[in-house]
């Protein structure tokens, strides 16, 4: 059922290395997480601030 909800809401789920579940729009090609916040981008040239791990 969760997969259907994600489809309807146009979102993807990722798991960070610390076990945190991250939910972002399906348009996010690159997802970064630093323990406090999530940043996503659709451009490979985007460089997040230091301390972010790429989780997808």
């Amino acid at each position: 059922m969760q997969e259907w909800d994600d489809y309807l809401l146009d979102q993807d789920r990722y798991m960070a290395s610390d076990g945190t579940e991250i939910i972002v729009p399906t348009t996010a090609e690159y997802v970064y997480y630093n323990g406090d916040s999530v940043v996503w981008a659709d451009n490979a040239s985007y460089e997040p601030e230091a301390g972010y791990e790429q989780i997808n």
Side-chain angles (χ1 to χ4, degrees), residues 1 4 6 11 21-22 26-28 30 32 35 40 51 56:
M1 193 69 176
W4 179 246
D6 289 343
Q11 63 189 20
E21 183 176 55
I22 308 296
T26 58
T27 57
Y30 305 93
Y32 305 93
W40 63 86
N56 63 327

Side-chain angles (χ1 to χ4, degrees), residues 4 8 15 27 36-37 40 46 51-52:
W4 179 246
L8 290 175
M15 189 68 65
T27 57
D36 293 321
S37 63
W40 63 86
Y46 175 76
Y52 281 86

Side-chain angles (χ1 to χ4, degrees), residues 5-51:
D5 289 341
D6 289 343
Y7 173 78
L8 290 175
L9 295 172
D10 201 26
Q11 63 189 20
D12 286 327
R13 294 174 185 266
Y14 296 97
M15 189 68 65
S17 62
D18 67 359
T20 302
E21 183 176 55
I22 308 296
I23 302 171
V24 297
T26 58
T27 57
E29 294 290 325
Y30 305 93
V31 181
Y32 305 93
Y33 177 67
N34 73 353
D36 293 321
S37 63
V38 176
V39 176
W40 63 86
D42 61 356
N43 186 334
S45 65
Y46 175 76
E47 293 287 330
E49 295 178 14

